[in-house]
Amino acid sequence: MPEPGEPESLLAFPCDFPIKIMGLTQPGFAQAIMDVVLRHAPGFDAATMEMRKSRQGKYLSLTVTVRATSRAQLDDLYRELCDHPMVKMVL
């Protein structure tokens, strides 16, 4: 049940939630993102991270599916990913 004054979530927690993170192809990008994800979803299996380079190889897209336990967890994860200097976009 949501806290008073908090909007009701359209998600039912816990749930599997995919997140796509895009940045320039550079050394350490995938590891840096993995470190952020693991801070917020310690049970995330790194072997499930999907990586896809852009057609010309300039950008790298990472897809992680985390086991989300709350809206606050997802909000904190999105906030840290969006603020990361290597990240260009989070979907």
Side-chain angles (χ1 to χ4, degrees):
M1 193 138 225
E3 295 292 320
E6 182 179 318
E8 193 171 321
S9 177
L10 298 175
L11 299 172
F13 296 101
C15 65
D16 291 334
F17 193 85
I19 301 171
K20 185 172 282 201
I21 306 104
M22 289 165 264
L24 293 172
T25 300
Q26 58 185 303
F29 177 61
Q31 185 60 52
I33 298 310
M34 181 62 56
D35 294 343
V36 172
V37 171
L38 287 172
R39 266 196 293 283
H40 297 276
F44 178 72
D45 179 5
T48 64
M49 178 187 273
E50 298 174 31
M51 293 187 232
R52 189 168 287 141
K53 283 189 177 183
S54 64
R55 186 172 298 147
Q56 295 178 351
K58 182 176 180 178
Y59 295 97
L60 182 63
S61 167
L62 305 174
T63 302
V64 298
T65 301
V66 298
R67 186 71 175 163
T69 57
S70 70
R71 179 176 173 171
Q73 175 200 27
L74 286 177
D75 288 347
D76 291 344
L77 175 54
Y78 265 91
R79 196 171 298 111
E80 187 171 350
L81 287 169
C82 288
D83 290 344
H84 196 285
M86 296 174 97
V87 173
K88 297 294 183 192
M89 184 183 308
V90 180
L91 302 173

